[in-house]
Amino acid sequence: MREVILCKYGELILKGANRATFESMLVKELRFRLQFCGNFAVSRSQSIIYIEPRDEDADMEAAAEAVSRVFGIVAYDRAASTENCTLEGICALAREYLPRFLRGKKTFKVEAKRSNKNFPYKSPEISAEVGGALLSACPYLRVNVHEPDVTVRVEVREGVAYVHAGQKKGAGGMPIGSSDRGMLLLSGGIDSPVAGYMMAKRGVKLEAIHFESFPYTSERAKQKVMELASLLTRYAGGLNLHVVSLTHIQEEIKRACNEEYFTILLRRYMMTIADRIAKQSGCGALITGESLGQVASQTMRAIGTTDAVAELPVLRPCIGLDKQEIVVTAQKIGTFETSIQPYEDCCTVFTPRHPKTRPELDKVIAEEQKLDFEALVEEAIATDTVERIKYLP
Ligand code: ATP
Ligand code: MG
């Protein structure tokens, strides 16, 4: 008996010529991530990716965990294989391998698939035989074909058969890199890591930018953002994190502009700087964690005034989500606990007492013209430093 991990990927997105490209992106990503779990062979055939340990030290538990975070995989499962492709051989394999996955379950059904059409039994016959074998090995089980606690799957291929039970839901989405590259504006908050996760899920290779305002924001606040970026890599893969100083811009805004416009002005600087660095880095879009109406700078009008300075499209995957929905995702992806650590963000440094919730663009521009916008942007871009955030296995 040999143990493998079977991965299934969505068929619908894999149309025509794109299919081969998507498949090789997926395999490449899996190979990269599995290196950290031992020595594995990754191959594919008929819309299934097979992950097989090459030696004793290969950690199947860790590999299954890694696979669960790879976008593009809709379902995966640990399975056992046999080259003894007779009905008896398959039943023996099922009796040996499956009981450990059936412990504590009451009902099951068997679904067999036979892609080797020379196999002398049809799928319903295979299901019935394997079902019978399992009933004798696990007498506490009953068959329930409508709502089973667990579905046992048998796949008979050319020269090899697989059995497995309890297929797990994969991360879904599209393989990283299949939707180009995007620049995530990453704060220390709850929303922007979730936004990054959501776009990575749609195949976007992430790059990130964080704005700091040292000494108004601390070194610890920046560490927190690096930690969030690191947590994101478990789904999104390694990424470059740009860190840009807004200190001088914030001081200038505070010195020269009407307090009601502080936040909106600052956000226009952020967008402009992110837009330029994104283009230099080959990104096709900006990504933010904004959610409509959440705070004064996220009203429709406020978003309109910040959007106006970006040339690249701005993707806001959280725009229609409630805070609670964003929190649920943050918890699922493991960023929530870090996000709620209380460190200051540059946006909270000079918060106006009465921010404009319905800013008019001409008034915003009039405020902005009190400063040398271009020079301040150039000066901030010159502070850009890039941290390489490695994939966290
Ligand atoms: P988050 O939880 O992501 O911080 P938020 O609800 O606190 O969001 P804002 O502070 O208004 O909202 O920020 C809106 C978006 O602007 C963030 O989701 C993020 O994409 C971006 N942003 C805010 N502050 C920064 C920062 N210091 N560096 C980079 N991007 C930022
Ligand atoms: Mg924030």
Side-chain angles (χ1 to χ4, degrees):
M1 181 189 88
R2 290 168 63 89
E3 214 187 357
V4 301
I5 299 173
L6 304 180
C7 308
K8 304 200 172 168
Y9 43 90
E11 299 275 338
L12 289 175
I13 54 163
L14 301 174
K15 284 193 195 124
N18 285 339
R19 183 181 180 116
T21 323
F22 282 178
E23 285 172 334
S24 44
M25 278 177 177
L26 247 187
V27 168
K28 192 169 154 222
E29 191 66 31
L30 281 166
R31 286 205 176 114
F32 172 74
R33 296 190 187 200
L34 289 166
Q35 289 172 60
F36 301 92
C37 313
N39 196 357
F40 286 91
V42 182
S43 58
R44 62 167 206 259
S45 147
Q46 299 180 3
S47 298
I48 293 189
I49 296 177
Y50 297 85
I51 298 170
E52 291 178 70
R54 281 206 174 105
D55 56 36
E56 294 284 290
D57 297 334
D59 184 343
M60 289 294 276
E61 202 72 46
E65 173 84 26
V67 166
S68 75
R69 292 193 293 258
V70 174
F71 293 127
I73 291 175
V74 292
Y76 67 98
D77 202 3
R78 288 168 73 163
S81 69
T82 177
E83 282 159 24
N84 176 9
C85 267
T86 58
L87 195 49
E88 298 74 48
I90 294 168
C91 287
L93 180 69
R95 274 196 302 268
E96 179 193 349
Y97 179 68
L98 294 178
R100 73 195 80 172
F101 300 102
L102 302 173
R103 233 169 269 140
K105 311 281 187 211
K106 292 197 179 76
T107 58
F108 79 111
K109 74 169 173 182
V110 182
E111 268 179 14
K113 230 168 91 184
R114 181 184 62 135
S115 54
N116 171 10
K117 297 296 175 201
N118 293 323
F119 191 74
Y121 298 91
K122 295 207 169 107
S123 302
E125 295 169 304
I126 306 171
S127 297
E129 283 297 317
V130 171
L134 285 173
L135 284 172
S136 64
C138 311
Y140 52 87
L141 281 179
R142 292 283 166 269
V143 174
N144 180 343
V145 290
H146 302 295
E147 265 184 284
D149 293 340
V150 58
T151 300
V152 166
R153 291 188 166 81
V154 181
E155 307 190 20
V156 184
R157 304 197 153 220
E158 207 71 57
V160 58
Y162 298 91
V163 299
H164 55 115
Q167 177 163 279
K168 294 180 186 62
K169 208 165 170 266
M174 313 231 280
I176 293 288
S178 62
S179 297
D180 295 322
R181 187 178 275 274
M183 181 68 81
L184 170 66
L185 281 80
L186 184 61
S187 68
I190 298 169
D191 308 334
S192 46
V194 170
Y197 161 82
M198 289 173 79
M199 294 325 301
K201 183 175 178 188
R202 296 306 301 160
V204 176
K205 176 82 188 144
L206 295 184
E207 182 125 359
I209 183 166
H210 175 68
F211 296 101
E212 62 172 7
S213 193
F214 193 76
Y216 305 106
T217 61
S218 63
E219 182 58 28
R220 191 60 194 84
K222 177 177 149 189
Q223 291 298 330
K224 173 185 171 183
V225 172
M226 289 176 63
E227 194 176 316
L228 285 171
S230 176
L231 291 169
L232 258 186
T233 66
R234 297 196 303 157
Y235 287 92
L239 55 89
N240 290 330
L241 172 66
H242 298 258
V243 180
V244 171
S245 170
L246 286 187
T247 311
H248 192 209
I249 291 176
Q250 284 194 286
E251 287 170 344
E252 282 296 285
I253 292 175
K254 186 168 162 48
R255 182 185 60 74
C257 305
N258 177 341
E259 183 185 321
E260 288 181 335
Y261 291 91
F262 279 3
T263 311
I264 221 84
L265 292 171
L266 185 64
R267 296 195 58 78
R268 279 167 64 90
Y269 276 99
M270 278 190 188
M271 280 293 200
T272 305
I273 295 163
D275 188 70
R276 294 198 193 165
I277 294 178
K279 279 183 282 193
Q280 283 164 15
S281 313
C283 296
L286 301 177
I287 302 164
T288 78
E290 289 159 304
S291 160
L292 193 64
Q294 197 187 80
V295 286
S297 61
Q298 296 177 26
T299 62
M300 196 175 286
R301 187 78 70 84
I303 286 175
T305 54
T306 50
D307 211 70
V309 293
E311 285 176 16
L312 290 174
V314 184
L315 307 179
R316 300 177 170 90
C318 299
I319 198 74
L321 297 179
D322 294 344
K323 192 74 186 187
Q324 192 48 34
E325 293 171 306
I326 301 174
V327 165
V328 167
T329 306
Q331 284 168 330
K332 182 183 93 175
I333 65 172
T335 52
F336 182 73
E337 292 302 323
T338 304
S339 287
I340 58 173
Q341 288 171 14
Y343 294 101
E344 63 296 330
D345 181 67
C346 67
C347 288
T348 54
V349 174
F350 302 120
T351 314
R353 279 157 296 181
H354 304 292
K356 276 267 178 231
T357 54
R358 310 193 81 234
E360 282 149 35
L361 191 54
D362 53 347
K363 297 216 174 101
V364 173
I365 290 172
E367 284 300 313
E368 201 164 79
Q369 281 170 348
K370 294 179 179 170
L371 296 171
D372 187 342
F373 188 85
E374 222 13 75
L376 285 167
V377 165
E378 285 304 320
E379 185 193 306
I381 289 176
T383 68
D384 178 16
T385 53
V386 184
E387 311 269 358
R388 178 71 199 159
I389 312 290
K390 285 206 193 109
Y391 167 68
L392 179 70

